[in-house]
Amino acid sequence: MQREVTTNQRMYFDLDSTGQYLISGNQSGYVTVYDTISAPSTYEEPMLQPLTTFKAHDDAVNGISYHPTMPMLATASGQRKFITPMIDNDEQDEDLITDKTFEHTLRLWSLY
């Protein structure tokens, strides 16, 4: 299993109640589902391949949780963005942030 995360922020994952499906978000706003019972790929380094992937948010999906008894999923997005220090003081603070995507949301998904 491999996921895109290049931040020091915690990125959570969850398992369904059967333990078969592992679900995880990534820094690009995608949610990926893995089948933990399926055999890993036969590459040099065995790795679980994604079962499915979907775009859930416009910012990092840092929180994710299956409902324990209902076919529902909750995802949370957002991450800290820091102003990049510049030598030239003529720049406006708004122009110093390289990634201008700011989304801090909670979404509920029906798995029907």
Side-chain angles (χ1 to χ4, degrees):
M1 183 183 110
Q2 186 174 4
R3 64 182 179 163
E4 176 193 345
V5 178
T6 57
T7 178
N8 61 0
Q9 181 175 344
R10 289 185 179 149
M11 304 294 276
Y12 292 93
F13 65 91
D14 199 10
L15 286 166
D16 75 329
S17 60
T18 67
Q20 180 175 358
Y21 298 106
L22 183 141
I23 193 162
S24 174
N26 72 17
Q27 194 169 343
S28 299
Y30 285 87
V31 169
T32 305
V33 180
Y34 299 90
D35 183 349
T36 61
I37 295 177
S38 67
S41 63
T42 57
Y43 296 110
E44 290 179 20
E45 188 175 324
M47 190 178 327
L48 283 178
Q49 296 302 309
L51 186 62
T52 189
T53 301
F54 66 93
K55 180 80 168 173
H57 296 275
D58 291 328
D59 205 348
V61 178
N62 51 25
I64 197 157
S65 183
Y66 276 116
H67 190 282
T69 59
M70 297 179 65
M72 294 183 72
L73 175 71
T75 59
S77 71
Q79 60 183 317
R80 294 181 181 155
K81 311 273 175 136
F82 296 99
I83 295 174
T84 306
M86 303 293 280
I87 296 173
D88 186 4
N89 290 334
D90 294 336
E91 297 284 336
Q92 295 294 323
D93 285 346
E94 299 167 357
D95 297 332
L96 300 179
I97 299 174
T98 56
D99 182 0
K100 295 187 181 196
T101 304
F102 291 95
E103 180 186 337
H104 304 283
T105 59
L106 172 68
R107 292 190 177 158
L108 299 177
W109 305 86
S110 173
L111 300 177
Y112 277 121

